[in-house]
Amino acid sequence: MELDINGHPQAIAPAWHDERLLWVLREHLGLVGTKHGCGQGHCGACTVLVDGAPARSCLLPASAAAGRRITTVEGLASAGPGLHPVQQAWLDERVPQCGYCQAGQIVAAAALLRAHPIPSDEQIDAALAGHLCRCGTQQRVRAAVHRAARALAGAVR
């Protein structure tokens, strides 16, 4: 089996076909940006993009991802020079504290901005509602998403 991960084909050994995508990414391929949180799809720490849509990799069997484009938090940056605008905005707004939930939130925010280039606070809150964060940085998360939206809008011009 082969998976398209961050724009590159990755051969997946047969022993990993029935594993959850999260473990294939972290343990088999060494892409540790995607985090294991609850293991039940509730916290969002394991969020990746599958064909551009946020998906909980702790629930998705690797075999179900075959033939689909998978983007991890590492893959967001590979689209151009430097960090992805959402990743840069996260740093500029000083969002991370413990950082555990950040990869999932960043990936979900990137998907939101593809669907809604200039999102409202309500759209941001809805897109990130399934991401458990105990640090209390929700205001900074919103500010970072708005900053990334402005950066992406400027890049399009």
Side-chain angles (χ1 to χ4, degrees):
M1 176 174 72
E2 191 171 88
L3 295 179
D4 176 350
I5 300 176
N6 299 328
H8 302 288
Q10 298 285 339
I12 307 301
W16 291 90
H17 292 190
D18 293 329
E19 289 291 333
R20 301 294 177 195
L21 180 59
L22 171 66
W23 300 120
V24 172
L25 293 171
R26 290 183 59 80
E27 303 297 328
H28 185 53
L29 300 174
L31 296 170
V32 296
T34 304
K35 303 299 182 201
H36 175 256
C38 68
Q40 299 176 2
H42 299 297
C43 73
C46 69
T47 301
V48 298
L49 300 179
V50 178
D51 291 335
R56 301 296 205 255
S57 65
C58 73
L59 299 177
L60 185 65
S63 59
R68 302 173 79 185
R69 286 174 305 131
I70 301 158
T71 305
T72 67
V73 69
E74 296 95 341
L76 289 178
S78 68
L83 296 175
H84 184 280
V86 175
Q87 294 167 317
Q88 186 61 54
W90 239 250
L91 295 174
D92 293 343
E93 294 294 334
R94 295 180 177 93
V95 174
Q97 284 190 22
C98 83
Y100 210 79
C101 63
Q102 301 305 297
Q105 287 184 329
I106 288 168
V107 168
L112 168 67
L113 292 174
R114 245 185 258 122
H116 302 282
I118 308 295
S120 65
D121 285 347
E122 293 78 19
Q123 288 171 314
I124 294 168
D125 293 348
L128 299 176
H131 294 265
L132 181 61
C133 175
R134 301 212 185 265
C135 296
T137 63
Q138 288 81 1
Q139 295 300 324
R140 286 185 275 178
V141 166
R142 270 195 220 122
V145 174
H146 287 302
R147 179 185 286 252
R150 289 189 302 273
L152 286 165
V156 172
R157 293 179 192 171

